[in-house]
């Protein structure tokens, strides 16, 4: 058994144990029928990704759950992998090509995809390597990628099957369109940004009444050539007489009707709305209801086409906006231009404003919607925090069909082939079911030369919604057996963010219900049993951390500075269940400090005496002698049991921050600051030393077990150094956590009965010491050990104090603690054992302290006068915001309270 070194070197320990764990196969998820299974499928990070603070929080929680499950004797499996991230990855590779002054079109589809695969092989594993630095105990031999051959077959097979079942169709509808990447985007891929722009007031002349106009407001005058109507609210009296008439469209002049529709907001602008169905989702819905024509004035790249008219055709949309305003001004139809701030949707990857665009896309009617509601509503799947279930159910009540096609090259190419010569734009729903015109299969038509495959690929989410079961070999039965599908599915827990509750969580639930264990009860088909939603990590200003803001620390820098365990412990300590987190680096430093405290406490134990048989709780308990227990022994074991119960409760309720706080409080305050300190005298006596060491061994053993899921590296190292495991075994794989009741039974089997009365007495004594220290600190005497305390108390309480007097003086830093029934003028604090007074007269130089207090009293009097003068100034009071006034009044009250306390202390010195 090696000696514990003076300082903890986290980097060396982390490298040593991670390599040892991997070499010994500690992370492997094995099918062990005699043990309960526990499985988690990692939310696959984008293959383009690098570790962020969000990843740190999410994956630390997953690792905590998996490591805890192993300690509970479960066969745990954490399945890792990455998502091919269609648009993100294609964007990265295209960006590289632009540096070479090339585009993907210079290579063609197949060669470009080869380039993407080359990039993936070189760069795509970075984030998984970084997760290893964090201590992630994934079963790396199971690593999946959503473009792996088997996974791709599953994805395409689902498309074919859902098409057969009537869930998939092709339709021309409004989508989010990226003019840079030239593809449809999901709502999740659109970022709303505040933009300071211009709103234009434009007038439309009535065709039958020259000189009479309707005025509208628009931020997009370049789309006016696509206007097909002016809409007003049917109940707006200003326009009732005009409904059914026509106006002249002021750009690319044409007569368009005035229609009535309840979607119009009477209070916005003039209450009249221009209807441009090709370029606005609301307008498209209005146009559909009124059977209006559709005029698309934009090309796919955002430039204006011939429909915009000769004055605008060929121009970029933003240049076209400026030119359209000029043309309106020249014709006298521009009433005014006004500054206008609004939120504009931007493509997350290309960082350009998106366009609502009407295009042909493939759509999916969601399967199993009602069952997906039942799964959550009836508790088969539990959300943590539970409030997210309401959000989930509300979305399912208002669900719309899913656009599953993307105009990209990188991704799962849709397995649809069109007979050569067929015009795709004219295909009907009936044509899609005609095998002479359309072929849909996994492997394509036999006479491939007569067919052309669909260019589009599937939305990335249309592959990742299969993640919990496709990663376990589904639908290939041989692969499913090898992966332990029947053993590990459904998975136990999903840890994710609430921002993708619709895009991923809900879709995975529907996919699991549709495709797994057909004919089986719902609880066998759900993809997971619990969903834990993390909060968003924000900076101290409340902003979401991001690269663009430069407000996010590099997790690897934090690991280098504070150790992986310090980072893990710190981030969990500030992450209350499901709430957003204000990041504080000093809390990460606090995690490192806790690890150092743990290291030093274990080193102190090793230096205090011989290490006996520590291989089990029973072995340690056999060395306990209940007859030699004092009150502090009873108290520390009682606190250990209470803490164990609290940690068990926190895990059951997904309260990870609460578990960390309970362990911190127990180990730092109860064990280190109290028990270790009071043990020092017992370690000097041959009579009490063996029992004291056995108790320390028992407490440290259970503490390391409880802490291991949170700080795995240092606990594994100390487990070995203190002899808690046999050679060749590991805490993470071979140890078993002992819950509170098991600990109690083991200790009880050795004849030890914990005395709750004595434990309660120690709690009162500890509180007494804590309040004595605080009283000293309040009077700048925290470091002094020569103070004198007076206690006004009853006989029973004094008996408790008197029995521990030497210990109390040592722990509180006092030369004397005296019972006294009458005390006047001394600062005091009320404790459960009586009123405690600090005898300043005998502790400090009274003359010098009087001088100091007089100066402080004079200074505070000046501050009070200044604050009162401000509050008495009518000009200040009338102009100051309420919050400032409230702050000033609060400050005055605090100043007067301090003045009174200083005056009292001055009087106490005589």
């Amino acid at each position: 058994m090696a000696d514990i070194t003076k300082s903890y070197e986290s980097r060396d320990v982390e490298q040593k144990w991670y390599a040892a764990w991997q070499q010994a196969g500690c992370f492997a998820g094995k099918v062990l029928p005699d043990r309960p299974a526990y499985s988690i499928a990692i939310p696959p990070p984008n293959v383009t990704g690098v570790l962020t603070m969000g990843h740190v929080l999410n994956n630390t929680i997953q690792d905590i759950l998996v490591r805890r499950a192993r300690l509970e004797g479960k066969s745990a499996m954490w399945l890792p992998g990455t998502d091919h991230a269609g648009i993100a990855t294609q964007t990265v590779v295209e960006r590289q090509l632009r540096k070479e002054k090339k585009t993907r079109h210079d290579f063609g589809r197949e060669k470009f995809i080869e380039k993407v695969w080359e990039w993936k092989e070189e760069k795509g594993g970075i984030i998984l390597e970084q997760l290893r630095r964090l201590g992630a105990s994934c079963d790396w031999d199971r690593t999946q990628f959503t473009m792996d051959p088997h996974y791709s077959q599953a994805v395409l097979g689902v498309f074919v099957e859902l098409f057969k079942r009537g869930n998939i169709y092709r339709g021309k509808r409004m989508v989010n369109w990226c003019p840079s990447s030239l593809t449809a985007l999901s709502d999740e891929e659109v970022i709303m940004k505040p933009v300071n722009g211009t709103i234009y007031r434009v007038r439309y002349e009535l065709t039958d009444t020259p000189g009479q106009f309707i005025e509208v407001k628009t931020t997009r005058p370049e789309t006016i050539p696509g206007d097909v109507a002016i809409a007003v609210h049917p109940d707006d009296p200003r326009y009732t007489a005009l409904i059914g008439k026509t106006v002249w469209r002021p750009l690319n002049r044409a007569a368009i009707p005035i229609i009535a529709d309840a979607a119009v907001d009477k209070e916005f602008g003039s209450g009249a709305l221009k209807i441009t169905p090709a370029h606005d989702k609301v307008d498209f819905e209005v146009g559909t209801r009124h059977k209006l024509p559709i005029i698309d004035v934009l090309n796919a790249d955002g430039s204006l086409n011939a429909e915009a008219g000769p004055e605008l055709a060929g121009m970029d949309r933003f240049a076209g906006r400026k030119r359209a305003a000029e043309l309106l001004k020249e014709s006298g139809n521009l009433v005014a231009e006004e500054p206008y701030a609004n939120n504009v949707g931007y493509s997350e990857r290309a960082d350009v404003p998106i366009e609502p665009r009407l295009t042909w896309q493939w759509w999916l009617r969601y399967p199993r919607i009602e069952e997906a509601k039942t799964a959550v509503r009836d508790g088969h799947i539990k959300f943590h925090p539970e409030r997210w279930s309401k959000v989930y159910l509300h979305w399912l009540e208002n669900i719309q069909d899913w656009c599953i096609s993307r105009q990209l090259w990188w991704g799962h190419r849709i397995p649809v082939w069109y007979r050569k010569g067929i015009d795709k734009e004219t295909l009907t729903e009936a044509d899609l079911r005609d095998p002479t015109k359309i072929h849909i299969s996994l492997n394509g038509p036999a006479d491939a030369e007569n067919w052309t495959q669909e260019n589009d690929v599937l939305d990335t989410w249309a592959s990742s919604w299969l993640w919990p079961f496709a990663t376990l070999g589904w639908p290939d039965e041989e692969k499913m057996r090898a992966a332990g599908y029947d053993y590990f599915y459904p998975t136990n827990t999903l840890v994710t963010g609430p921002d993708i509750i619709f895009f991923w969580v809900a879709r995975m639930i529907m996919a699991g219900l549709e495709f797994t264990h057909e004919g089986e009860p719902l609880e066998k088909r759900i993809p997971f049993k619990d969903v834990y939603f993390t909060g968003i990590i924000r900076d101290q200003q409340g902003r979401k951390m991001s690269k663009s803001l430069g407000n996010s620390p590099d997790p690897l820098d934090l690991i280098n500075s504070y150790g992986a365990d310090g980072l893990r412990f710190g981030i969990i300590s500030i992450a209350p269940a499901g709430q957003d987190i204000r990041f504080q680096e000093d809390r990460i430093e606090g995690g490192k400090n806790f690890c150092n405290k743990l290291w030093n406490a274990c080193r102190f134990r090793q230096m205090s005496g011989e290490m006996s048989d520590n291989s089990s709780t029973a072995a340690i308990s056999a060395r306990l002698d209940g007859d030699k227990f004092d009150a502090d022994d009873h108290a520390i074991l009682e606190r250990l049991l209470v803490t164990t119960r609290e940690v068990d409760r926190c895990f059951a309720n997904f309260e990870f921050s609460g578990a960390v706080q309970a362990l911190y409080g127990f180990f730092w305050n109860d064990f280190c600051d109290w028990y270790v300190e009071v043990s020092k005298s017992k370690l000097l006596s041959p009579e009490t030393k063996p029992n004291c060491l056995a108790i320390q061994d028992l407490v440290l053993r259970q503490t390391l077990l409880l802490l291991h899921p949170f700080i795995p590296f240092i606990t594994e190292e100390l487990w070995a150094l203190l002899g808690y495991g046999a050679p060749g075994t590991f805490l993470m794989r071979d140890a078993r956590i002992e819950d509170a009741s098991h600990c109690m039974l083991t200790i009880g089997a050795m004849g030890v009965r914990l005395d709750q009365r004595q434990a309660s007495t120690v709690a009162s004594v500890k509180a007494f010491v804590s309040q004595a220290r605080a009283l000293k600190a309040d009077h700048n005497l925290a470091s002094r050990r020569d103070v004198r305390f007076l206690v006004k108390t009853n006989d029973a309480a004094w008996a408790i104090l008197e029995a521990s007097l030497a210990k109390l003086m040592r722990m509180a830093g006092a030369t004397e603690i005296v019972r006294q029934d009458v005390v006047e003028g001394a600062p005091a604090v009320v404790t459960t054992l009586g009123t405690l007074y600090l005898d300043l007269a005998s502790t400090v130089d009274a003359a010098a302290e009087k001088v100091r207090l007089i100066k402080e009293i004079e200074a505070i009097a000046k501050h009070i006068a200044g604050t009162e003068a401000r509050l008495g100034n009518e000009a200040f009071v009338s102009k100051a915001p309420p919050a400032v006034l409230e702050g000033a009044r609060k400050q005055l009250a605090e100043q007067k309270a301090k003045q009174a306390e200083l005056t009292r202390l001055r009087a106490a010195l005589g």
Side-chain angles (χ1 to χ4, degrees):
M1 203 179 300
D3 290 340
I4 298 176
T5 58
K6 186 174 182 180
S7 61
Y8 174 54
E9 300 296 335
S10 60
R11 184 186 289 266
D12 295 340
V13 169
E14 289 163 11
Q15 291 176 349
K16 177 180 81 171
W17 283 113
Y18 203 88
W21 289 330
Q22 281 201 284
Q23 188 174 0
C26 292
F27 303 157
K30 298 176 182 178
V31 176
L32 302 174
D34 59 330
R35 291 194 199 175
Y38 185 89
S39 59
I40 292 179
I42 197 172
N46 286 353
V47 72
T48 58
V50 293
L51 199 65
T52 66
M53 292 307 297
H55 290 126
V56 168
L57 175 62
N58 185 292
N59 287 280
T60 295
I61 290 172
Q62 291 177 78
D63 197 47
I64 287 168
L65 289 166
V66 169
R67 288 179 182 272
R68 173 78 180 196
R70 293 191 188 102
L71 293 176
E72 291 173 347
K74 298 171 183 174
S75 182
M77 186 273 290
W78 184 12
L79 192 148
T82 51
D83 191 290
H84 67 280
I87 190 169
T89 307
Q90 180 163 316
T91 299
V92 167
V93 177
E94 287 193 279
R95 192 180 300 132
Q96 284 189 343
L97 294 179
R98 282 198 294 274
K99 292 178 182 176
E100 304 169 14
K101 295 187 169 36
K102 293 182 179 178
T103 72
R104 60 185 161 120
H105 300 286
D106 294 322
F107 293 88
R109 187 172 193 135
E110 288 187 12
K111 291 292 184 183
F112 174 74
I113 291 173
E114 288 177 11
K115 287 279 185 187
V116 181
W117 276 106
E118 288 172 9
W119 180 91
K120 185 265 178 188
E121 294 305 315
E122 181 184 353
K123 307 280 190 181
I126 290 175
I127 192 165
L128 299 184
E129 287 300 319
Q130 292 174 327
L131 286 176
R132 289 174 167 87
R133 287 286 310 275
L134 188 64
S137 58
C138 299
D139 186 347
W140 298 109
D141 291 339
R142 291 177 178 262
T143 302
Q144 302 278 313
F145 179 52
T146 53
M147 287 287 284
D148 284 343
H150 159 74
Y151 198 99
S152 294
Q153 287 290 99
V155 171
L156 299 177
V158 161
F159 180 95
V160 173
E161 185 59 33
L162 286 174
F163 181 82
K164 290 177 181 176
R165 296 178 187 182
N167 292 86
I168 288 178
Y169 63 96
R170 187 170 178 267
K172 193 171 189 179
R173 292 170 59 179
M174 188 70 69
V175 297
N176 301 314
W177 183 262
C178 176
S180 177
S181 303
L182 301 181
T183 181
L185 302 175
S186 68
D187 289 343
E188 194 269 341
E189 293 165 316
V190 176
I191 306 297
M192 301 306 294
K193 293 186 180 184
V195 172
N196 293 319
T198 302
I199 194 163
Y200 301 86
R201 289 168 51 193
V202 181
R203 62 183 191 174
Y204 292 64
E205 188 176 29
L206 270 71
T207 58
D208 63 352
T209 315
Q212 186 176 349
F213 299 88
I214 284 184
E215 184 181 304
V216 303
K217 283 188 173 183
T218 179
T219 58
R220 307 203 56 191
E222 74 279 11
T223 65
I224 287 176
D227 292 355
V228 294
I230 297 294
V232 297
H233 196 281
D235 298 330
D236 192 334
R238 293 173 295 178
Y239 301 114
T240 305
L242 300 181
I243 295 170
K245 293 191 173 187
T246 59
V247 294
W248 290 112
R249 187 172 62 206
L251 294 178
N252 219 12
R253 183 179 168 91
I256 57 176
I258 300 171
I259 62 172
D261 196 286
V264 177
D265 181 359
K266 291 187 289 184
E267 306 305 319
F268 178 75
S270 64
L273 180 71
K274 78 185 196 72
I275 302 300
T276 320
H279 301 292
D280 184 273
K281 289 182 180 180
V282 173
D283 291 6
F284 177 73
E285 292 169 3
V286 172
T288 301
R289 282 195 292 273
H290 293 270
K291 296 182 172 55
L292 297 172
I294 295 172
I295 303 173
D296 188 346
V297 300
L298 291 175
N299 295 313
D301 63 359
S303 62
L304 290 149
N305 61 28
E307 294 284 2
E311 293 276 2
L312 299 176
M315 300 184 76
D316 171 77
R317 53 183 168 158
F318 301 112
R321 183 172 305 167
K322 185 178 179 181
R323 180 57 182 149
E326 292 172 353
L327 292 171
L328 289 168
K329 191 172 184 179
E330 291 170 6
S331 65
N333 290 310
L334 181 62
V335 178
E337 299 178 42
E338 301 167 354
Y340 186 67
N342 66 330
N343 288 320
V344 174
Y346 273 69
S347 167
E348 182 182 27
R349 299 297 171 185
D351 196 33
V352 297
I354 62 155
E355 286 290 341
R357 188 160 192 256
L358 201 59
T359 61
W360 284 101
Q361 302 287 346
W362 289 92
W363 299 84
L364 171 67
R365 299 182 186 98
Y366 286 100
R368 307 281 179 170
I369 295 172
E370 290 307 314
E371 269 197 316
K373 294 177 189 174
T374 300
V376 172
R377 188 186 292 121
D378 292 358
H380 300 286
I381 299 173
K382 294 181 173 64
F383 284 1
H384 311 273
E386 195 277 332
R387 68 176 183 273
W388 289 112
S389 62
K390 296 175 184 175
V391 177
Y392 166 90
L393 292 169
H394 176 74
W395 182 71
L396 287 180
E397 290 292 344
N398 301 277
I399 198 167
Q400 297 181 355
D401 292 352
W402 175 11
C403 175
I404 58 171
S405 50
R406 297 291 181 269
Q407 290 64 54
L408 303 170
W409 286 358
W410 173 245
H412 299 100
R413 192 170 181 181
I414 292 175
V416 172
W417 283 260
Y418 304 94
R419 175 76 67 176
K420 286 184 177 178
I422 284 179
D423 182 4
K424 289 166 55 177
E425 298 294 312
T426 63
L427 287 174
T428 65
E429 185 66 24
D431 291 333
L432 293 180
R433 307 289 163 179
D434 184 345
T436 66
K437 298 178 180 179
I438 302 290
H439 179 92
I440 298 180
S441 72
L442 266 176
N443 302 313
D447 56 336
E449 67 278 5
N450 296 319
W451 301 82
T452 302
Q453 188 175 357
E454 171 66 72
N455 283 317
D456 292 355
V457 300
L458 289 170
D459 176 17
T460 295
W461 298 108
S463 60
S464 58
W465 76 321
L466 311 180
W467 186 254
F469 53 91
T471 51
L472 291 171
W474 183 92
D476 185 307
E477 291 188 5
E478 185 177 336
K479 286 183 169 62
M480 290 163 71
R481 280 193 297 274
Y485 173 87
D486 287 331
Y487 184 68
F488 288 118
Y489 188 88
T491 63
N492 291 78
T493 310
L494 172 70
V495 180
T496 188
D499 52 330
I500 53 174
I501 189 171
F502 314 130
F503 300 104
W504 196 43
V505 179
R507 288 167 176 170
M508 282 192 289
I509 292 171
M510 287 185 270
L513 292 170
E514 178 74 4
F515 294 110
T516 67
H517 294 292
E518 291 190 39
E520 295 283 349
L522 182 148
E523 58 268 19
K524 287 204 70 173
R525 293 181 287 121
I526 54 176
F528 27 73
K529 299 162 190 172
D530 290 281
V531 183
Y532 179 82
F533 293 104
T534 63
I536 295 171
I537 301 182
R538 301 184 181 278
D539 64 15
Q540 285 299 295
Q541 299 176 45
R543 301 174 302 173
K544 185 176 179 180
M545 285 188 164
S546 68
K547 289 181 184 178
S548 60
L549 289 174
N551 62 347
S552 179
D554 184 336
L556 295 183
D557 290 342
L558 295 176
I559 290 174
N560 291 334
S561 297
Y562 306 112
D565 287 336
L567 175 57
R568 291 166 63 114
F569 196 87
I571 198 69
I572 294 299
S573 73
I574 57 174
Q579 297 180 34
D580 285 359
I581 299 141
R582 292 290 179 99
F583 179 76
Q584 300 164 270
E585 189 166 334
D586 61 343
R587 294 297 289 272
I588 309 302
E589 186 177 10
K592 177 184 177 180
N593 293 340
F594 181 82
C595 291
N596 288 337
K597 188 82 168 179
L598 179 63
W599 184 264
N600 291 333
C602 291
R603 182 169 182 264
F604 175 79
R605 163 59 194 96
Q606 193 184 65
M607 294 170 65
S608 296
E610 181 183 349
M611 303 301 299
S612 302
D613 182 3
N614 281 342
S615 60
S616 68
T617 304
I620 300 171
S621 298
R623 299 176 3 232
L624 298 175
D625 185 347
D627 295 335
K628 294 180 180 178
F629 270 39
D630 64 13
D632 291 306
D633 297 331
H634 285 283
I636 193 63
L637 291 180
E638 190 268 344
R639 285 293 302 132
L640 175 63
L641 293 172
V642 168
T643 302
T644 302
R645 289 191 190 102
E646 176 61 11
V647 172
D648 291 345
R649 188 198 67 78
C650 287
F651 268 100
N653 292 284
F654 292 83
E655 296 174 8
F656 307 108
S657 178
V660 161
Q661 289 162 13
L663 287 165
Y664 182 98
F666 166 73
F667 185 73
W668 196 292
N669 301 325
D670 297 318
F671 184 69
C672 294
D673 283 4
W674 187 263
Y675 189 75
V676 170
E677 289 302 316
V678 301
S679 293
K680 289 177 179 177
S681 60
K682 291 190 279 187
L683 294 174
L684 300 175
S685 168
E687 280 293 308
T688 54
K689 182 175 180 178
N691 212 49
C692 181
L693 290 178
I695 290 172
Q696 287 193 22
D697 288 339
L698 183 66
V699 171
L700 287 171
R701 187 180 198 279
Q702 182 72 352
T703 299
L704 291 176
L705 279 166
L706 292 171
L707 281 170
H708 174 75
F710 302 96
I711 46 175
F713 292 109
I714 192 171
T715 50
E716 188 77 74
E717 176 79 351
L718 292 169
W719 186 266
L721 291 172
L722 293 175
Y724 290 133
T729 64
F730 297 90
L731 186 166
M732 74 156 289
R733 184 188 65 189
D734 305 304
R736 293 294 172 262
I737 199 121
E738 286 143 353
D739 62 22
S741 58
H742 184 269
C743 271
M744 182 73 85
L745 288 171
T746 305
I747 295 168
M750 299 298 112
V752 177
R753 293 291 180 269
L754 295 186
D755 189 326
Q756 295 292 332
R757 183 185 59 79
Q758 291 197 60
S760 177
T761 296
V762 171
S764 296
V765 171
K766 286 169 63 179
F768 183 90
V769 168
S770 177
Q771 289 169 292
R773 290 171 174 171
L775 196 57
K776 286 171 62 180
D778 286 345
H779 296 85
N780 300 315
L781 298 171
S783 60
R784 294 277 292 271
R785 304 194 63 79
D786 59 351
V787 302
R788 183 172 184 265
F789 286 107
L790 308 173
V791 185
K792 183 179 179 181
T793 188
N794 57 43
D795 290 343
W798 178 247
I800 293 172
L801 292 171
E802 195 172 31
S804 305
L805 213 50
K807 178 169 61 180
L808 282 171
M809 288 190 292
R810 185 174 72 253
M811 299 295 285
T815 54
E816 195 174 12
I817 299 177
V818 180
R819 183 180 181 184
Q820 188 166 313
D821 292 335
V822 179
V823 183
E824 294 181 355
V829 62
V830 177
T831 79
T832 57
L833 296 173
T835 304
L836 179 66
Y837 296 88
L838 179 60
D839 186 3
L840 287 176
S842 64
T843 302
V844 299
D845 180 335
E849 185 65 6
K850 284 180 187 178
V851 172
R852 186 186 72 79
L853 288 171
I854 288 169
K855 287 182 179 178
E856 260 198 86
I857 291 168
E858 290 173 350
I860 200 75
K862 290 180 181 178
H863 286 301
I864 290 171
T867 306
E868 287 179 333
R870 277 202 305 158
L871 290 171
N873 184 328
E874 189 176 339
F876 169 75
V877 172
S878 63
K879 294 179 181 177
V884 173
L885 288 174
E886 181 62 27
R889 293 187 184 107
K890 183 179 178 182
Q891 184 183 50
L892 180 61
E894 291 171 350
Q895 289 168 342
K896 287 187 173 181
K898 186 174 181 180
Q899 184 186 47
E901 175 65 10
L902 290 169
T903 302
R904 188 183 63 78
L905 292 174
R906 164 67 184 81
L909 290 170

